[in-house]
Amino acid sequence: MHPAKSSACPEESSLTRRQRYVSILLSAMMAIMSMLAAPVAQAAGKATTTTLALSASSVTAGTVVTFTASVSNGSPVTPGLVTFCDATATYCEDSALIGTAQLTSVGTAVIQLVPGIGSHSYVAVFNGTTSNAPSTSSAQALTVTA
C-alpha cells in the first residue's frame, strides 16, 4: 500500500506564497500612501513680485507680440524660470501654457508670440527658487483683429 499523499502540503505552500505576495503588496501600497500623505515642504524664500508687459495691447493678425516678465524681490531676481500662461485657464498647462523663459541677469524673461485672432488675457508666473518665493503677475489683455 502506498502512503497517502497529503493534498494539504501543495495548497499550504501555494497559500503561503499568496499570503507573502499580498503582504508585500500591501506593505508597498502603505509605503506609497504614506509618502503621498506627507506634507510637501514649500521653498521658503524672499517674497517676489512679477510684472508682465506686452509690446502692444491691440494688434492685427500676424503681428509678433513681445511678452516681458520682470521679477523682483527688492532687486532683480536671477536665476529662475518664468512661465507665460493664458490667464483665463484654471491651470497653466497643456494649451494654456504659452511659453517659458529663463530670467536674465537683469531679472527679465522674454518670449515672442504671434497670437490668434480674438481677445486674450495673459499672466507670467515666476516658479520660485529655494531663495525666492513664487509669484504671479496681474493679467494683461491683448486684442488681435483680422
Side-chain angles (χ1 to χ4, degrees):
M1 188 156 142
H2 296 289
K5 290 186 178 179
S6 170
S7 62
C9 289
E11 287 177 17
E12 277 185 274
S13 175
S14 178
L15 183 60
T16 303
R17 274 185 257 142
R18 271 188 248 141
Q19 286 174 331
R20 274 187 262 150
Y21 174 76
V22 169
S23 176
I24 291 168
L25 185 61
L26 287 173
S27 295
M29 289 174 52
M30 293 299 287
I32 291 169
M33 289 172 50
S34 68
M35 285 187 286
L36 293 174
V40 177
Q42 290 293 326
K46 292 182 179 180
T48 62
T49 302
T50 299
T51 58
L52 174 62
L54 304 180
S55 58
S57 60
S58 181
V59 297
T60 57
T63 303
V64 174
V65 177
T66 301
F67 293 60
T68 304
S70 299
V71 182
S72 173
N73 63 8
S75 58
V77 170
T78 190
L81 184 70
V82 174
T83 305
F84 298 88
C85 310
D86 176 346
T88 63
T90 304
Y91 301 104
C92 185
E93 59 189 23
D94 301 326
S95 63
L97 179 79
I98 307 303
T100 59
Q102 289 289 328
L103 288 168
T104 66
S105 60
V106 294
T108 60
V110 178
I111 65 167
Q112 293 186 316
L113 174 70
V114 178
I117 295 172
S119 296
H120 305 278
S121 183
Y122 299 105
V123 293
V125 179
F126 171 59
N127 297 326
T129 63
T130 54
S131 55
N132 290 292
S135 59
T136 301
S137 72
S138 59
Q140 298 298 310
L142 175 66
T143 303
V144 181
T145 56

